[in-house]
Amino acid sequence: CAEENKLYGECASLKICVTRSTTHHKFLEASFPPDYFTFVSSFEGGADMLFNGTCNVIAADKSQIRWSELVYNAIRDGKYIRGEKTMTKEPLAMVTRNTDR
């Protein structure tokens, strides 16, 4: 539902968890009415709200989603699916000092 911006029918109960003041938050503000998202203080808090049913979607970086797959095993258990559509592009990268190889 979120990937297609569908807000009616079976998607009328869409609730997206998002961390305030992130690019994900800015994207959601431009793409969805505010009734469809819930603010969380951290990705982990959003994951908790996803798993307890408060939200049915979480907006996060791909790295955070991949991390949650490892920690929570939710996707491997078949309870959740990971969307494939990239909604925003974060200009971030991992950097390591040459002396820390």
Side-chain angles (χ1 to χ4, degrees):
C1 294
E3 285 187 319
E4 303 304 322
N5 287 22
K6 187 176 174 186
L7 304 174
Y8 52 88
E10 65 185 352
C11 300
S13 64
L14 179 68
K15 195 56 116 174
I16 306 169
C17 282
V18 63
T19 306
R20 189 183 300 272
S21 300
T22 61
T23 54
H24 315 307
H25 169 205
K26 291 175 185 156
F27 171 81
L28 288 175
E29 281 187 322
S31 304
F32 294 92
D35 295 346
Y36 288 92
F37 50 94
T38 297
F39 292 115
V40 296
S41 58
S42 66
F43 173 76
E44 292 80 4
D48 289 341
M49 291 177 79
L50 176 70
F51 298 139
N52 73 23
T54 303
C55 297
N56 49 26
V57 173
I58 188 167
D61 297 340
K62 284 184 179 181
S63 61
Q64 291 172 313
I65 300 296
R66 301 272 187 201
W67 175 83
S68 70
E69 291 175 18
L70 294 172
V71 173
Y72 297 111
N73 296 320
I75 292 174
R76 282 181 275 169
D77 292 344
K79 296 175 186 171
Y80 301 90
I81 59 169
R82 177 179 16 94
E84 296 299 324
K85 187 174 180 181
T86 300
M87 304 296 213
T88 62
K89 185 174 180 180
E90 296 287 339
L92 305 173
M94 298 298 284
V95 177
T96 304
R97 285 187 226 138
N98 286 337
T99 57
D100 286 343
R101 289 186 192 180

